[in-house]
Amino acid sequence: MNDASIQNLLDRLYRQAYRWILILALFLAMVGWAVAERRVQVVDEMWRTRLRHEAIEIARAIKPDRAKRLTFTAADAESPVFQRLRDQLRAYGELIQQRS
């Protein structure tokens, strides 16, 4: 074998290796994307379930007869029923570390 044919062989091997590396990189990128998408779905479902559970617990804590006494106007601000409900919701917000 002469130098030209050796160089030609090396060039072909280099191009082939480059193609395989490129294919592997694209494959890994697609797998990474799919794994990230799945993880987002799992975390989203987890948070939605937690939020649903918290909403149900809050709803259970509110007594319907007290809620019926509220008018949902500014006049409620002085109502003992409203103040108690407000205090309960604030306490629950602190318990779950609500920041708003």
Side-chain angles (χ1 to χ4, degrees):
M1 276 192 166
N2 62 20
D3 288 343
S5 63
I6 292 173
Q7 186 61 40
N8 187 18
L9 179 63
L10 289 175
D11 286 345
R12 279 190 304 149
L13 288 174
Y14 176 77
R15 282 192 300 269
Q16 234 178 2
Y18 181 77
R19 283 184 195 130
W20 279 110
I21 290 171
L22 184 60
I23 289 169
L24 181 62
L26 289 172
F27 175 75
L28 289 175
M30 290 185 332
V31 168
W33 184 278
V35 168
E37 282 288 323
R38 180 64 185 136
R39 180 68 180 144
V40 165
Q41 290 172 355
V42 168
V43 170
D44 180 64
E45 183 60 31
M46 179 187 71
W47 279 103
R48 287 176 187 270
T49 300
R50 179 180 173 202
L51 182 60
R52 188 178 314 115
H53 174 72
E54 288 177 3
I56 289 168
E57 291 303 313
I58 289 170
R60 284 182 182 158
I62 298 171
K63 296 185 179 179
D65 60 314
R66 288 186 183 165
K68 287 178 185 175
R69 287 191 249 160
L70 296 173
T71 61
F72 297 96
T73 63
D76 282 338
E78 302 300 319
S79 165
V81 173
F82 172 78
Q83 292 173 359
R84 180 167 171 83
L85 179 60
R86 181 194 60 207
D87 293 342
Q88 285 177 325
L89 292 176
R90 280 185 180 163
Y92 190 76
E94 289 176 14
L95 178 70
I96 64 169
Q97 298 177 350
Q98 180 67 28
R99 290 179 268 167
S100 64

